[in-house]
Amino acid sequence: MQNTIRIIGIDPGLRRTGWGIIETLGNSLRFVASGTVTSDGEMDLASRLCQLHDGLAEVVHGYRPDEAAVEQTFVNKDATATLKLGQARGIAMLVPARAGLRVAEYAPNAVKKAVIGVGHGEKQQIHMMLKVLMPKVQFKGNDAADALAIAICHAHNRQAITSRLAALAG
């Protein structure tokens, strides 16, 4: 007998961290909610990280997901921007981990491949496929859409992960 699993996908960013929550039962997907946590660009870095933490903690506490998935950071040419993104990503991993959730990580290409079938694609393709996979989906902006795509990627990959973890434990 299968149980419904609630998954939160998180697309980390210092300005905007997208989140999306879905439920999966077998091969079916159901949209629950999505949104964006923002930080005030006028504040110091530590305060901005606190804003992200508090916003994500409120989402996790309110929706009570069973599992979490976070997009891996890509390295860009600006080392300072990459470092700040890494710090926001740390918050994105910390919040669900502190709530007792196992946190999976996925490369951006793996997320795109899980949702649109190829590892490279445009944002509009992701938006379109989200609507195909979950007709009642609602999202505002790319960050929330990307977070939903991350959750879907985890839904597709979680069986393999769960089997591997069970084998290691057993």
Side-chain angles (χ1 to χ4, degrees):
M1 179 152 202
Q2 293 181 328
N3 293 323
T4 300
I5 303 297
R6 184 170 280 196
I7 300 168
I8 183 170
I10 303 172
D11 181 33
L14 184 58
R15 287 188 198 134
R16 292 175 308 279
T17 291
W19 58 270
I21 299 175
I22 66 169
E23 289 181 342
T24 181
L25 178 62
N27 291 329
S28 69
L29 300 172
R30 186 178 78 81
F31 169 75
V32 175
S34 69
T36 306
V37 175
T38 60
S39 72
D40 182 347
E42 300 295 315
M43 297 180 81
D44 63 275
L45 179 60
S47 298
R48 293 177 76 185
L49 293 172
C50 283
Q51 288 177 318
L52 295 178
H53 176 276
D54 294 348
L56 277 177
E58 187 176 314
V59 170
V60 169
H61 178 75
Y63 287 99
R64 304 221 178 266
D66 302 303
E67 298 177 8
V70 176
E71 189 170 68
Q72 290 176 338
T73 302
F74 64 92
V75 177
N76 62 38
K77 295 176 185 170
D78 182 353
T80 302
T82 300
L83 181 60
K84 288 179 180 178
L85 176 59
Q87 291 168 322
R89 189 170 173 276
I91 297 297
M93 295 178 70
L94 173 71
V95 170
R98 295 284 296 162
L101 305 180
R102 189 169 30 223
V103 181
E105 302 175 69
Y106 297 98
N109 288 350
V111 173
K112 289 178 183 173
K113 188 169 185 174
V115 176
I116 62 176
V118 293
H120 300 282
E122 301 297 321
K123 297 283 186 190
Q124 289 308 112
Q125 290 175 293
I126 292 172
H127 294 193
M128 183 186 72
M129 283 306 296
L130 288 174
K131 292 174 184 175
V132 169
L133 294 169
M134 299 180 298
K136 295 182 181 182
V137 72
Q138 296 176 12
F139 54 87
K140 290 184 182 177
N142 291 334
D143 302 299
D146 288 349
L148 287 165
I150 294 161
I152 290 170
C153 178
H154 182 65
H156 290 324
N157 288 287
R158 67 178 299 280
Q159 287 302 116
I161 292 169
T162 303
S163 296
R164 274 187 257 138
L165 290 172
L168 289 173

